[in-house]
Amino acid sequence: MYGLCDCNNFYASCERVFRPDLVGRPVVVLSNNDGCIIARSNEAKALGIGMGQPFYQVRPLIEQGQVTVFSANFALYGDLSRRVMATLRSLVPGIEIYSIDEAFFDLRGMAEPLDGFGRTIGRTIRRNVGIPVSIGIAPTKTLAKIASKLAKQYPRLDGCCYMRRPEDIDKVLRKFPLQDVWGIGRRYGRMFDRMGLRTARQFVDLPQEWVRARMGVAGLRTWSELQGVECITFEQMPPRKQQITLSRSFPREIHTLEELDRIVAEFASMCAEKLRGEQSVCAEVQCYLYTNRHREDQPQRCETELRLLPEPTDSSLEIVRQARITLRQLFQPGYGYKKAGVILSRITPASELQGSLFSPLDRGKHARLMDVMDTVNKRLGKGKIVVAAQGTEPFHMNREHLSPRYTTDWKELLVVKAD
DNA sequence: TCTGGGGTCCTAGGACCC
DNA sequence: TCTGGGGTCCTAGGACCC
């Protein structure tokens, strides 16, 4: 049996932990640059605010004072996520962190039935961290996902849905919307819609060969998992990242190479920092530039360039240098650029680095320098030491509704006023 | 005016090998 | 009319997830 612990409206719930006055009221969280809605409390959903909806479209509601808005505060969400995971880990034999707000867990050796235990997990996380969660327990991960959605949907389940007997599972599948199944995305959702298939059970009733032919082995796995056949295994150790990327949309369009150069240098430097955090090195740097795809009246360009490095590295200096070279290959004047990104790939463990006899780099020197840079930036705050090409002004994005980093910055601790 | 960011896996087809 | 068989590696694009 597998469990899934899913935080309810995670980002909105994080904001509420430190703003209990907002419990029971509509809350939304915006993407970077305050662009669109990426999280909503139940009350905000009830107002008809859509996931991914552009902020400007819902601005009237907000200006009427009905909805409280927050800019994305990933420092806060990341830290609260760590706390949720730590509590969960203390209660079960093993966990697999699936995303910032979800983890699967192992229930080996636990006495059934397990719904009481599931509720205990939920209550403990709520008490320790302040985040409400939904727990689903079922024979496969795909079914556990369904169970957690039911736990979220039906208050009478008290935060935990436990599905075990085949007849109970079948009853659920007969009602569960096919598009909401884990592994059925927009594309397949539309296909099934055209075919008149609405429920998970109708999908299960399709012949195996049909599923294999139309949806590949991934579709077949979903099909089998819905029938209680375990195909997606439990992985406690997160695999090494194959790709590290950093990209941002700009608050305005950028036309000059000089400006893009500083931005790309900063993105590349931040990627390199993440790379070192993983104890990895990379051998490929990619860069991309996009114009504003929403401006159909303007000439469009969206290009990627990549460079293979002479040897793998984790040095910000080298990665920034290579990213700036690709930028120069990429850049063409005459366009208003709206977004840029840097991607590191061909990632391998730093411990298995294959060096070169003819290395142009002084590895020891770079390593010591990066070590100092990371240590100082960790202790004194992000961006205290940067690569010169980044310039003195860090990348700016709109974050008009940012809450404090209550748990990760001494200067932003919650202030309790004594009235 | 304003429209996010960060990932993974699978497959088909081409280039190449003997 | 006929024109082998068996394989690997790589990449781009498409699907999915949060």
Side-chain angles (χ1 to χ4, degrees), chain A residues 36-338:
Chain A
C36 48
I37 310 284
I38 58 168
R40 306 156 294 157
S41 70
N42 289 342
E43 299 76 18
K45 289 176 190 174
L47 286 176
I49 297 174
M51 183 64 175
Q53 212 180 350
F55 180 36
Y56 70 91
Q57 288 177 5
V58 296
R59 204 181 272 266
L61 274 179
I62 282 132
E63 277 159 6
Q64 291 162 28
Q66 292 185 38
V67 182
T68 307
V69 185
F70 292 96
S71 302
N73 183 349
F74 290 109
L76 177 66
Y77 312 151
D79 189 59
L80 293 191
S81 170
R82 275 188 291 281
R83 293 168 189 229
V84 168
M85 301 306 173
T87 298
L88 181 60
R89 192 178 280 122
S90 72
L91 296 170
V92 296
I95 74 171
E96 175 192 336
I97 296 175
Y98 178 68
S99 73
I100 193 165
D101 71 335
E102 273 176 71
F104 290 100
F105 54 94
D106 194 355
L107 288 159
R108 257 176 303 193
M110 295 274 173
E112 306 212 20
L114 291 156
D115 38 353
F117 180 59
R119 290 190 186 101
T120 302
I121 293 175
R123 274 195 294 272
T124 309
I125 291 174
R126 180 92 191 223
R127 191 187 62 221
N128 288 9
V129 194
I131 297 287
V133 302
S134 299
I135 307 281
I137 299 174
T140 66
K141 282 182 167 180
T142 305
L143 290 171
K145 285 282 255 184
I146 290 179
S148 79
K149 289 198 181 187
L150 298 180
K152 196 165 296 188
Q153 197 178 339
Y154 296 108
R156 65 180 167 78
L157 292 173
D158 192 22
C160 176
C161 172
Y162 169 66
M163 309 197 298
R164 199 214 210 315
R165 298 185 327 185
E167 57 268 35
D168 296 337
I169 293 172
D170 191 61
K171 224 166 99 186
V172 165
L173 295 189
R174 282 172 188 280
K175 279 201 227 153
F176 197 79
L178 183 48
Q179 302 97 306
D180 295 347
V181 171
W182 190 41
I184 306 294
R186 261 215 317 269
R187 198 64 191 260
Y188 288 136
R190 276 203 299 269
M191 177 179 83
F192 289 127
D193 210 49
R194 283 195 299 274
M195 294 168 62
L197 304 188
R198 301 278 182 272
T199 68
R201 173 56 199 268
Q202 287 175 307
F203 171 59
V204 165
D205 285 340
L206 290 170
Q208 179 171 2
E209 308 74 55
W210 187 95
V211 175
R212 174 67 182 87
R214 297 289 292 269
M215 305 171 73
V217 297
L220 205 50
R221 276 202 278 264
T222 300
W223 184 81
S224 301
E225 284 240 325
L226 286 173
Q227 297 170 74
V229 178
E230 186 186 334
C231 301
I232 305 173
T233 55
F234 183 70
E235 311 279 350
Q236 289 198 51
M237 279 294 294
R240 187 174 295 275
K241 278 196 171 46
Q242 301 181 31
Q243 203 175 301
I244 288 174
T245 141
L246 203 133
S247 69
R248 292 281 180 275
S249 297
F250 311 141
R252 56 183 173 84
E253 281 152 23
I254 293 181
H255 295 84
T256 67
L257 180 60
E258 292 67 39
E259 246 181 305
L260 290 169
D261 196 35
R262 287 194 296 273
I263 289 168
V264 163
E266 181 173 344
F267 291 3
S269 180
M270 288 164 79
C271 280
E273 200 179 317
K274 288 194 206 177
L275 185 68
R276 292 193 294 277
E278 298 254 318
Q279 271 86 250
S280 296
V281 290
C282 74
E284 186 179 298
V285 176
Q286 291 181 56
C287 245
Y288 59 83
L289 279 182
Y290 292 170
T291 49
N292 188 347
R293 63 197 160 96
H294 301 288
R295 292 289 300 268
E296 281 165 21
D297 55 320
Q298 288 185 355
Q300 296 287 314
R301 215 176 117 73
C302 106
E303 295 294 329
T304 305
E305 274 290 343
L306 66 84
R307 276 180 74 78
L308 280 176
L309 310 189
E311 59 181 312
T313 183
D314 63 1
S315 162
S316 290
L317 299 183
E318 177 64 6
I319 288 168
V320 165
R321 192 174 72 84
Q322 298 284 353
R324 294 176 70 206
I325 297 173
T326 58
L327 174 66
R328 278 158 181 74
Q329 293 166 349
L330 209 56
F331 178 78
Q332 266 186 25
Y335 294 92
Y337 294 101
K338 184 65 177 155

